[in-house]
Amino acid sequence: MAKVAFIGLGNMGGGMAANLVKAGFDVTAFDLSSAALQASVEAGCSAATSAAESVANADYVVSMLPNGAIVESIYIDNDKLLDVIPKAALVIDCSTIAAQNSRRLASEANNRGIRAIDAPVSGGVAAADAGTLAFMCGGKEADFEAARDVLSAMGANLFLAGDSGAGQVAKMCNNMLLAVHMVGTAESLQLGVDNGLDPAVLSEIMLNSSGANWSLEKYNPYPGVMENAPASRNYEGGFMNMLMLKDLGLALDAATGSKSSVPMGSLARSLYALHAGKGNEQRDFSSIIEQFKKGE
Ligand code: NAD
């Protein structure tokens, strides 16, 4: 049975580690939160007392951490996991971080004879629990293929975007586009309502016209139009505004570095910063429609 060390058992990592157990992997887990660690033990993982202990004898090291500073701290600068991970192991970092963080991790790993890929995900907590995430990977093709069994246990769609860091670039482009079409969908629906249309009728018309897009099809931001969307449960659950803001920040930082013009992404970031700053950090990102309601 292949051994997986799993570090970072939060909203996403908890379900991902549980799916690895279900697929027959021998998972040793570590998280700073004892509650998160306990939940993963209940899902069938063994608990380690430190990150270093979790990676001993690992065939794969999977991490799902909040940001690039923590990823670099754990693997390179403080916990120095790369100095204790077995040489034959494959590091699969699924955290959403800047491409340069992923490139540094891969290069420091390769310098020690360890393989590493970046594998950020799309899909959110429900997909993490269901094992239906999309993985956008960056790294060598052989390493991507070596990760296939582990990734398949946690996801439904696996993509190799290019070399190290390319998975992060694909993820930030995707999420910038998601923010832009969510904002556009929200303001269009509100415009229609302000001018006397029923949001469900307008949604159906646009869905079957040239305005159709993923936000309208799967994630309607207007309350009551789509029964299972976060909009119909006061924007609880789903994808938090603070995470969208983080992803837009990564996109704009990258755009600054590449001198790319991203006017729609910049505007979307400003709108999400405004919205999150009004006490909406923890609410779903489709709640951005409230910025377009009169009197709000
Ligand atoms: P989370 O905050 O719920 O989980 C992160 C976990 O990492 C926490 O349990 C925390 O205790 C642990 N952690 C932090 N520092 C640690 C350390 N030094 N050692 C060990 N454990 C440590 O976050 P999440 O929502 O699971 O997101 C994780 C990553 O997935 C982020 O990079 C996020 O951007 C990305 N992501 C999240 C979603 C989503 O919908 N939540 C969707 C796609 C991608």
Side-chain angles (χ1 to χ4, degrees), residues 257-272:
S258 58
K259 300 187 174 62
S260 303
S261 175
V262 287
M264 307 302 286
S266 300
L267 185 52
R269 200 209 75 89
S270 289
L271 285 166
Y272 273 100

Side-chain angles (χ1 to χ4, degrees), residues 129-192:
D129 290 343
T132 56
L133 292 166
F135 284 91
M136 308 171 187
C137 303
K140 298 185 183 80
E141 191 164 3
D143 297 344
F144 171 67
E145 289 305 329
R148 190 174 279 282
D149 287 350
V150 170
L151 297 178
S152 300
M154 303 185 286
N157 290 301
L158 315 182
F159 302 101
L160 179 62
D163 290 340
S164 183
Q168 302 294 353
V169 176
K171 162 88 186 173
M172 83 188 177
C173 292
N174 180 72
N175 278 28
M176 186 175 82
L177 178 57
L178 170 62
V180 168
H181 66 61
M182 179 55 81
V183 170
T185 299
E187 69 182 23
S188 298
L189 283 170
Q190 191 58 47
L191 174 67

